[in-house]
Amino acid sequence: MASLTWVVSFIAVTAIIFFTGTESDTSLACSVIQGLPGLNGRDGRDGINGLKGDPGAQGTPGSSRTPGMRGSIGPPGKEGPKGNVGLNGLPGQKGNSGAQGVEGPKGEKGDNSGQSATLTNVLNRLSSLERQMNQLKQSISSKMKALLFARGATAGEKTFVTSGKELTYEESKAMCLKAGGQLPLPRNSEETKAILDIAQYYNLHVYLGITDIQTEGVFRYPDGKTLTYSNWNTNEPNQDGDEDCVEMLLSGKWNDRACKDKRLNICEFS
Ligand code: MAN
Ligand code: CA
């Protein structure tokens, strides 16, 4: 194979030299003496391996031998190297609650050395009063709701309450005084409305605490002072006969009226 390669190479090189020399003849136009053939080249390198050949014919079976006795178990091998750290295990189940701890020792008494005994006493009474005040507020609030239900109304600091009775002026006045109040003395529209709410609920006219008994034609409060607010009905007071008292009509307007007539008793408490 290597020899064939060298032969092919030699022919190729000779052909190149021959054709190159022909070209030179035409261009240079000079004479050339042909030399001796060169030495053969060295063998070429081995080619690549050929394809795998077909398998050979099956050989004849060899003669059988009797197997020997099994040897004894050898000594244990040396301890192997330490293994890698294993994977983390699954989380365990929640444990039971622990027992309650023992109560700790009582703390030391606070330092109030800078506070006099008198001041401590006053502060204790003050906090006690605050507690009682809150209890009273709640109690009053609850009782007021009961009192005002159907029988009363409020306006500012005033509370108007009815006994539900129909009385003469003197009877009604006496009942209110006995109860710790007085006949109504409305001094503004808010108070007029509160009295009117009760009057309208009972559908009855109401005596006020205003008269002109002291001086005919001059209406006054019980303390003798003249009116600072009035709500007379049209053409009133008309002194129709002997009318020294004042009633509130269901319109809220005032009419001078005979004091002997019976009217719904309402008292004012402040
Ligand atoms: C009418 C009016 C009133 C008067 C009464 C008396 O209603 O004249 O002014 O007070 O009658 O019944
Ligand atoms: Ca009148």
Side-chain angles (χ1 to χ4, degrees):
M1 183 67 76
S3 301
L4 179 61
T5 306
W6 274 106
V7 171
V8 172
S9 300
F10 176 75
I11 294 170
V13 171
T14 306
I16 292 169
I17 292 170
F18 175 75
F19 286 112
T20 305
T22 305
E23 193 173 301
S24 299
D25 286 346
T26 56
S27 60
L28 297 175
C30 59
S31 62
V32 175
I33 300 168
Q34 188 171 353
L36 297 171
L39 298 173
N40 288 339
R42 290 179 297 174
D43 292 343
R45 287 176 293 178
D46 292 344
I48 58 173
N49 294 334
L51 295 173
K52 191 175 180 183
D54 294 330
Q58 190 171 1
T60 55
S63 60
S64 63
R65 289 184 190 171
T66 305
M69 296 291 288
R70 181 174 181 157
S72 59
I73 298 174
K78 291 181 182 176
E79 187 179 4
K82 186 176 181 181
N84 296 326
V85 177
L87 297 172
N88 289 336
L90 295 172
Q93 290 182 322
K94 187 178 180 181
N96 296 327
S97 300
Q100 188 175 0
V102 180
E103 187 179 356
K106 190 174 181 182
E108 292 178 21
K109 193 172 183 181
D111 179 21
N112 63 351
S113 56
Q115 185 176 293
S116 72
T118 307
L119 181 56
T120 303
N121 189 16
V122 168
L123 289 173
N124 285 339
R125 292 177 68 182
L126 186 61
S127 65
S128 172
L129 280 170
E130 283 177 339
R131 278 197 301 278
Q132 292 180 51
M133 277 275 286
N134 286 330
Q135 288 173 351
L136 271 173
K137 278 182 185 173
Q138 288 186 345
S139 176
I140 289 172
S141 172
S142 177
K143 284 176 171 56
M144 279 297 285
K145 285 176 188 170
L147 178 69
L148 299 180
F149 177 69
R151 285 180 171 262
T154 58
E157 293 300 308
K158 288 186 180 178
T159 301
F160 301 97
V161 184
T162 181
S163 64
K165 298 181 187 305
E166 290 179 78
L167 306 172
T168 66
Y169 169 79
E170 289 296 338
E171 290 170 340
S172 198
K173 179 183 173 183
M175 176 165 271
C176 288
L177 291 174
K178 191 178 178 184
Q182 61 183 343
L183 285 170
L185 303 174
R187 294 177 186 266
N188 55 51
S189 59
E190 186 191 3
E191 293 178 8
T192 293
K193 184 181 179 306
I195 298 164
L196 191 58
D197 280 349
I198 303 170
Q200 288 177 339
Y201 186 85
Y202 286 83
N203 199 31
L204 292 171
H205 297 168
V206 179
Y207 275 128
L208 303 180
I210 297 165
T211 68
D212 68 346
I213 295 173
Q214 187 177 333
T215 312
E216 184 61 36
V218 180
F219 288 86
R220 301 173 188 270
Y221 295 116
D223 62 4
K225 292 182 178 173
T226 54
L227 305 181
T228 57
Y229 166 87
S230 65
N231 195 30
W232 293 110
N233 199 12
T234 310
N235 300 323
E236 304 296 347
N238 64 353
Q239 189 61 27
D240 184 10
D242 185 16
E243 297 185 319
D244 293 342
C245 289
V246 179
E247 65 176 349
M248 180 184 283
L249 306 173
L250 292 174
S251 63
K253 293 294 182 180
W254 296 359
N255 171 44
D256 60 338
R257 187 87 199 185
C259 298
K260 60 178 176 35
D261 294 333
K262 291 181 182 273
R263 294 289 180 264
L264 178 66
N265 164 253
I266 292 180
C267 303
E268 172 187 305
F269 300 87
S270 53

